[in-house]
Amino acid sequence: MTLREGMPLLYQQFIALFKKNLLLSWRNKSATCLHLFSSFFFIFLIFSSHPIPPCDDKFNTKFPCYDFVWSGNQSRRVSDIVSAIMANNPGRPIPTNKVKSFKGPEEVDVWFTSHPLHAPGALHFTERNATVISYGVQTNSSSATKRGRTEDPTFKFLVPLQIAAEREIARFLIGDPKFGWSFGFKEFPQPVVAKDVTISPLNLMGPVFFLAFSMFGFVLQLGSLATEKELKLRQAMTVMGVYDTAYWLSWLIWEGILTFVSSLLLVLFGMMFQFNFFLKNSFFVIFLLFLLFQFNMISLAFMLSSFISKSSSATTVGFLVFLIGFITQTVATGGFPYSSTHSLSRRVIWSFFPPNTFSAGFQLLIEATSVPGSPGISWSKRDVCSKMDDATCFLTMNKIYIWLVRTFFSGLCVHSIYFDNIIPNASGVRKTIIYFLKPSYWTGKEGNKVEEGRICSCFGSVPPVEHLTPDDQDVLEEETLVKKQAMDGTVVPNIAVQIHGLAKMYPGMIKLGNQSFLLCMNIAKDQLFCLLGPNGAWKKTTISCLTGINPVTGGDALIYGDSIRSSVGMSNIRKMIGVCPQFDILWDALSSEEHLHLFASIKGLPPVSIKPIAEKLLADVKLTGAAKIRAGSYCGGMKRRLSVAIALIGDPKLVFLDEPTTGMDPITRRHVWDIIQESKKGRAIILTMHSMEEADILGDRIGIMAKGRLRCIGTSIRLKSRFGTGFITTVSFLENKNNGAGNSPEPLKRFFKKHLKVEPIEEKKAFMTFVIPHDKEKLLAGFFEELQYREYEFGISDIQLGLATLEEVFLNIARWAELESATAEGTVVTLELESGILVEIPVGARFVGIPGTENAENPRGMMVEVYWQQDGSGSMCISGHSPEMRTPQNFSVLYEPPSQVLGRTQRRVRGSVIAYESSD
């Protein structure tokens, strides 16, 4: 199958990602509606917001304070009106303890005199008759100043009290609880300034409210980008070969559409509520200002997403951006910094923050409609200065537009892509700060040479990884072969992956001991390679390095001839690999069918083939019935099957399967095994798992890692024969074998003891199990021939012979690695013997000598065999020990602790590690 490349692939990825964004927004209707229609609520809030402010907001207030006081409490109708004023105060009902009542104005004056600055104003009501209720407003008209800010009591306290009183009196008299009206406030004509300035709520609160309105889209966009990063969804798409251009363009176009609609609705709602700002200024002048401002907020979200790794941080960042915008709007008074008193550089720096430019443009539109009879700013006059003194005019709407366009394209948008490439991700991958200056970035022609800094750690230099000669002969031969091929430049046609000296070390970990891995091996085509190891063996790190998720410290790996150390090479590699990660990386809101269509488009499959291929894969993993169900409702096993299907989409040449059958029931697991077996034709598969049964069945070749090193490599039979305890022999007895006294199992035990010098490791009424060491292999033919001849004598019904299990091999390798690490780092656990002695032993030690048990009859002392197993976290722990036994002659000491006796009151000793294999 021919996959798309170049511009056709870019376009196909863009369409698929755009559709993904559309589906996610459609299925998150509440957030999308909030983004689109929040402008209505802000416009309505401005329209209806003339609340009576809390007394705490007044400068120089004394406590306890009251929002207002009133007189006329002898009238029930007046009391009802005041109660309505308190209950219907916009945005904040006034509590009863914040209002004080009196009988008449005289009592109010007496209270004001004795309690100065305890209330900002008073309402005086008089009930004239059934249809007439008069009122008066009493406030202190003196302005107050605090920290350079002046408080205007007329607009802040008098007007809200007047509006509230008139509104509730009118509602009470006409019987309409929703009756209301708008109002205007004009300064008195002055001789010098021949104009009347109309002050409306939009003039005072517009910039802050519209900045808050833009925060909805900003926070939602930032949260979406951070969520895809946090859940590693973008990483999954990157590993599958998505272009960064397609990713960012899909988000930009989709958010641009939402922004266009929300800006259009904002202007229409403003016109619907009859604000002069929207009616007098040109529709296109206002619309373009809001549109460009919100586009700048999109690019700001793109840029900040490079610094944010948690979706929960999006709200915090949004609040900080709003807070900074609010502060800058407060500072920007008197034309700052757009005046002759400020330098050009200061104006440029100030304008890089989009809310500042938007606020300046908004102020121009406000000033153009603040004078009665002013036609506002028309489209044809957008480049005409609205100030009377053209010599001091620095801003026009056209300049605002030009600057917003510049900051979007050449500023924030470019910076977003640049920062996204140079800022390290969670794994430390980034590009060099001058990556765009390299011709290979633009041409895509780079070759396969290793270049430091192309994919590198963000923390600077790291110490070199020390090479250790492998202990295992098979691993040493594999390493020698790989090095020879690398030095000779030999290209082996049947090799899919060639790893030579691949190393990883994190900065600072050199102090912690062996915290690195070093690999040299080949993985052939048409082969399933099983990579096993306990937790902490660096299996996942190996896969992350091979797929470009993690940067490498040293060495290299060639995947079908392309280097993972080259950014262009890694781009080529990602076109031909599929990855099933350890943990499912899926969108909860998308179905399995939509997932496969998305990743098939990213891979570049022809559009006509996407649907049939997706249907076949869904059928293979038994998800056809759930194809249209959202993945968020899947169980763990269904998600794993979907991840396997995603890894196989696009016919990849190399497939990484990291514990693919976790959480599956036995029937489904067997079915997936069949899929994996069939899938290795024409490709290489690297499989990691904890199931030894799975590795034994599926693996053509098996490698076991421990503590960052490859400990053994080969086929299952090879590993069992070299690292198992030996041959497992199970002898089953006839049903009446032990019924008679003459049919004792002792003769059979003596027969094994005499010929092979072994004892049964398990003895039951129906069978016995023996472990025969490998060094007895030459004796087995004659031994079993004689045993079969004497079957009737021993009452034998069946004899089974097999190698040790792969799980036993795995535990032996893990135990030796733990022992090696424990002796180097001094990691010990305590073993309590039946005699009460507490013995500290290195983790993984099998035979342990007990200090202090030597005597004349037994100069070598006593020892025990320690049994180990893995706990739930994959760490080695003691499962038991043998009885104390004499230390034999044929032994050597692997590890001798510096001090053996530790305790005085309670006997605590440090055991020595003995190398011993029983032969008698």
Side-chain angles (χ1 to χ4, degrees):
M1 181 185 298
T2 303
L3 302 180
R4 289 189 166 189
E5 295 183 351
M7 289 302 297
L9 177 58
L10 175 64
Y11 176 74
Q12 180 170 303
Q13 289 184 354
F14 162 73
I15 295 298
L17 293 170
F18 181 83
K19 183 179 178 181
K20 179 262 297 181
N21 296 338
L22 173 62
L23 288 172
L24 293 176
S25 297
W26 175 254
R27 289 168 186 170
N28 189 9
K29 294 182 178 64
S30 57
T32 305
C33 289
L34 185 65
H35 187 181
L36 293 176
F37 298 104
S38 59
S39 57
F40 174 83
F41 299 102
F42 279 98
I43 291 289
F44 180 77
L45 187 61
I46 295 175
F47 176 77
S48 60
S49 63
H50 307 290
I52 300 173
C55 59
D56 311 68
D57 287 356
K58 180 174 174 56
F59 292 174
N60 306 321
T61 299
K62 292 184 179 180
F63 297 94
C65 68
Y66 299 91
D67 291 353
F68 69 92
V69 298
W70 62 282
S71 65
N73 59 9
Q74 70 276 10
S75 170
R76 182 184 58 81
R77 299 175 72 190
V78 170
S79 298
D80 291 343
I81 291 173
V82 173
S83 297
I85 291 174
M86 297 166 59
N88 298 330
N89 187 49
R92 184 188 68 91
I94 300 175
T96 55
N97 62 343
K98 287 295 184 180
V99 176
K100 192 173 182 63
S101 65
F102 298 89
K103 289 184 179 180
E106 297 80 9
E107 293 182 7
V108 174
D109 290 339
V110 173
W111 187 84
F112 271 143
T113 304
S114 60
H115 297 80
L117 300 179
H118 282 264
L123 288 171
H124 302 291
F125 294 95
T126 303
E127 185 179 358
R128 304 292 184 183
N129 52 49
T131 59
V132 177
I133 297 177
S134 63
Y135 78 96
V137 182
Q138 182 181 9
T139 59
N140 185 349
S141 61
S142 301
S143 299
T145 303
K146 184 178 181 180
R147 296 178 182 175
R149 295 175 56 194
T150 301
E151 181 181 69
D152 181 7
T154 301
F155 188 80
K156 188 171 183 179
F157 301 107
L158 186 148
V159 171
L161 285 172
Q162 177 183 349
I163 294 173
E166 292 178 353
R167 181 184 66 237
E168 299 306 328
I169 290 174
R171 288 176 177 177
F172 182 82
L173 293 176
I174 67 177
D176 184 0
K178 296 184 178 180
F179 179 76
W181 60 86
S182 61
F183 85 104
F185 182 75
K186 297 183 179 181
E187 292 184 353
F188 194 79
Q190 302 176 15
V192 178
V193 181
K195 65 177 181 177
D196 296 333
V197 179
T198 302
I199 301 177
S200 72
L202 194 64
N203 300 44
L204 299 176
M205 295 177 288
V208 176
F209 270 58
F210 291 132
L211 176 62
F213 154 71
S214 70
M215 285 297 104
F216 280 97
F218 174 78
V219 171
L220 290 173
Q221 172 63 50
L222 190 60
S224 298
L225 293 171
T227 297
E228 290 195 339
K229 181 187 291 187
E230 181 181 5
L231 300 181
K232 298 185 179 180
L233 294 165
R234 187 185 173 193
Q235 174 183 294
M237 291 187 290
T238 301
V239 170
M240 297 293 273
V242 75
Y243 290 144
D244 287 344
T245 305
Y247 179 80
W248 288 114
L249 191 60
S250 68
W251 273 118
L252 177 62
I253 298 300
W254 174 245
E255 289 298 320
I257 292 174
L258 293 179
T259 294
F260 181 89
V261 175
S262 64
S263 300
L264 181 63
L265 290 176
L266 173 64
V267 179
L268 293 177
F269 288 144
M271 297 173 68
M272 183 179 71
F273 281 95
Q274 298 293 301
F275 283 107
N276 286 336
F277 175 87
F278 293 97
L279 295 175
K280 291 185 176 182
N281 289 306
S282 168
F283 172 87
F284 294 104
V285 170
I286 301 174
F287 172 73
L288 190 58
L289 176 65
F290 283 106
L291 182 67
L292 291 177
F293 168 58
Q294 290 199 75
F295 263 99
N296 273 262
M297 295 305 292
I298 292 175
S299 61
L300 181 62
F302 284 2
M303 183 182 71
L304 293 179
S305 68
S306 302
F307 301 89
I308 297 175
S309 57
K310 300 289 183 181
S311 58
S312 57
S313 304
T315 304
T316 304
V317 172
F319 174 76
L320 290 176
V321 171
F322 173 78
L323 184 62
I324 295 172
F326 178 77
I327 293 174
T328 55
Q329 287 183 11
T330 304
V331 172
T333 57
F336 177 87
Y338 304 105
S339 63
S340 58
T341 58
H342 300 284
S343 64
L344 176 62
S345 59
R346 181 176 295 180
R347 292 198 296 272
V348 170
I349 294 173
W350 180 264
S351 300
F352 265 111
F353 188 52
N356 294 341
T357 314
F358 167 74
S359 179
F362 190 87
Q363 195 61 39
L364 290 178
L365 296 175
I366 285 288
E367 292 175 357
T369 58
S370 60
V371 179
S374 172
I377 298 179
S378 64
W379 180 255
S380 60
K381 295 184 178 180
R382 67 187 184 278
D383 200 26
V384 177
C385 189
S386 61
K387 293 182 179 293
M388 296 182 63
D389 186 4
D390 290 342
T392 61
C393 181
F394 284 89
L395 274 185
T396 62
M397 289 305 301
N398 212 48
K399 291 181 179 179
I400 294 290
Y401 296 151
I402 293 173
W403 183 258
L404 287 174
V405 171
R406 286 177 177 175
T407 55
F408 174 72
F409 284 106
S410 63
L412 296 176
C413 192
V414 174
H415 290 163
S416 302
I417 300 174
Y418 178 69
F419 287 139
D420 183 62
N421 280 281
I422 68 168
I423 294 177
N425 60 19
S427 302
V429 177
R430 68 176 177 92
K431 292 180 180 178
T432 59
I433 59 176
I434 56 171
Y435 74 93
F436 58 93
L437 297 178
K438 298 187 176 183
S440 58
Y441 175 75
W442 303 101
T443 62
K445 299 177 181 179
E446 186 178 32
N448 290 324
K449 63 178 182 179
V450 177
E451 292 188 12
E452 289 289 347
R454 182 63 60 162
I455 299 178
C456 62
S457 174
C458 61
F459 304 104
S461 61
V462 294
V465 179
E466 181 183 359
H467 177 264
L468 299 174
T469 302
D471 298 325
D472 182 63
Q473 184 62 31
D474 291 342
V475 176
L476 180 59
E477 290 176 1
E478 181 82 5
E479 181 178 313
T480 303
L481 175 62
V482 171
K483 287 182 177 179
K484 184 177 185 302
Q485 291 174 346
M487 292 179 63
D488 297 342
T490 305
V491 178
V492 185
N494 67 327
I495 296 298
V497 183
Q498 187 182 62
I499 304 174
H500 46 84
L502 187 66
K504 173 67 180 177
M505 177 174 285
Y506 292 100
M509 283 192 170
I510 189 66
K511 300 177 182 179
L512 304 178
N514 183 24
Q515 296 290 340
S516 64
F517 79 89
L518 186 67
L519 291 179
C520 285
M521 62 180 177
N522 286 332
I523 299 174
K525 299 176 184 177
D526 301 321
Q527 183 184 88
L528 194 151
F529 181 81
C530 289
L531 187 60
L532 306 179
N535 290 345
W538 295 62
K539 304 186 302 296
K540 185 177 180 180
T541 304
T542 302
I543 293 179
S544 297
C545 289
L546 292 177
T547 55
I549 296 174
N550 273 348
V552 298
T553 304
D556 196 9
L558 300 179
I559 298 179
Y560 288 95
D562 288 298
S563 169
I564 67 170
R565 296 294 295 273
S566 159
S567 61
V568 175
M570 182 53 69
S571 297
N572 295 331
I573 290 170
R574 284 171 173 166
K575 295 176 184 177
M576 53 186 170
I577 66 172
V579 181
C580 172
Q582 182 180 3
F583 303 104
D584 300 301
I585 301 177
L586 305 169
W587 285 271
D588 288 343
L590 298 183
S591 66
S592 56
E593 183 180 61
E594 290 161 351
H595 274 93
L596 291 180
H597 284 195
L598 171 63
F599 284 102
S601 298
I602 290 175
K603 277 294 185 181
L605 270 69
V608 294
S609 64
I610 290 178
K611 185 175 181 180
I613 289 177
E615 290 176 350
K616 181 181 182 303
L617 282 172
L618 288 172
D620 289 342
V621 296
K622 295 185 177 181
L623 285 177
T624 302
K628 298 187 181 299
I629 299 176
R630 299 183 188 181
S633 60
Y634 285 3
C635 64
M638 295 173 71
K639 290 183 178 180
R640 294 306 292 159
R641 281 182 273 160
L642 176 56
S643 296
V644 171
I646 292 173
L648 297 175
I649 198 78
D651 194 25
K653 295 182 179 179
L654 174 65
V655 180
F656 296 90
L657 301 176
D658 195 355
E659 301 181 26
T661 57
T662 302
M664 293 185 185
D665 60 85
I667 296 177
T668 306
R669 184 184 299 116
R670 289 280 180 174
H671 182 72
V672 172
W673 288 357
D674 294 338
I675 296 173
I676 295 174
Q677 285 280 29
E678 295 174 1
S679 299
K680 70 180 182 182
K681 298 175 183 177
R683 62 169 62 96
I685 298 178
I686 298 178
L687 179 66
T688 70
M689 78 291 286
H690 287 293
S691 171
M692 299 300 110
E693 178 191 13
E694 190 170 329
D696 208 353
I697 294 173
L698 298 177
D700 297 312
R701 204 159 175 243
I702 298 172
I704 299 180
M705 291 184 67
K707 297 296 180 181
R709 293 172 57 195
L710 187 64
R711 303 289 175 161
C712 61
I713 190 170
T715 63
S716 175
I717 295 177
R718 172 72 173 172
L719 298 184
K720 290 176 182 178
S721 63
R722 295 195 63 242
F723 299 98
T725 53
F727 299 93
I728 308 298
T729 302
T730 301
V731 180
S732 300
F733 302 126
L734 296 171
E735 291 185 4
N736 61 347
K737 163 71 184 65
N738 291 326
N739 291 341
N743 291 329
S744 169
E746 294 302 320
L748 180 64
K749 293 167 65 175
R750 287 195 296 268
F751 181 78
F752 272 85
K753 181 72 172 178
K754 175 182 177 182
H755 291 82
L756 301 177
K757 301 187 184 314
V758 295
E759 298 281 354
I761 61 170
E762 188 175 8
E763 183 176 352
K764 300 291 183 183
K765 183 178 179 180
F767 67 90
M768 282 186 185
T769 301
F770 299 85
V771 176
I772 303 173
H774 288 294
D775 57 6
K776 309 292 185 182
E777 184 175 354
K778 295 180 180 180
L779 305 176
L780 293 184
F783 172 80
F784 280 105
E785 184 178 356
E786 183 177 352
L787 181 63
Q788 190 172 13
Y789 179 77
R790 301 176 63 179
E791 278 184 351
Y792 181 79
E793 176 186 346
F794 295 132
I796 296 174
S797 64
D798 183 50
I799 302 172
Q800 296 180 1
L801 177 66
L803 289 169
T805 63
L806 190 60
E807 183 173 0
E808 183 182 352
V809 174
F810 178 85
L811 289 175
N812 285 338
I813 295 295
R815 182 178 58 80
W816 274 105
E818 288 286 352
L819 177 60
E820 178 185 277
S821 176
T823 53
E825 300 174 7
T827 306
V828 296
V829 294
T830 301
L831 173 66
E832 183 175 0
L833 303 179
E834 295 178 359
S835 60
I837 300 176
L838 301 179
V839 185
E840 290 188 355
I841 62 174
V843 178
R846 182 181 178 187
F847 294 101
V848 178
I850 307 172
T853 57
E854 303 85 356
N855 53 45
E857 296 181 358
N858 183 23
R860 290 179 296 275
M862 305 294 288
M863 74 173 190
V864 293
E865 182 179 2
V866 184
Y867 309 132
W868 298 88
Q869 67 180 14
Q870 284 188 305
D871 60 16
S873 63
S875 302
M876 300 295 293
C877 63
I878 297 174
S879 62
H881 64 85
S882 69
E884 297 180 24
M885 51 187 169
R886 286 173 174 265
T887 304
Q889 295 181 357
N890 55 332
F891 80 97
S892 60
V893 178
L894 294 177
Y895 171 74
E896 187 77 33
S899 176
Q900 295 185 334
V901 180
L902 299 175
R904 294 181 179 179
T905 57
Q906 184 181 22
R907 192 173 179 192
R908 178 184 289 269
V909 297
R910 285 179 176 157
S912 56
V913 182
I914 295 174
Y916 164 70
E917 293 294 336
S918 177
S919 61
D920 53 28

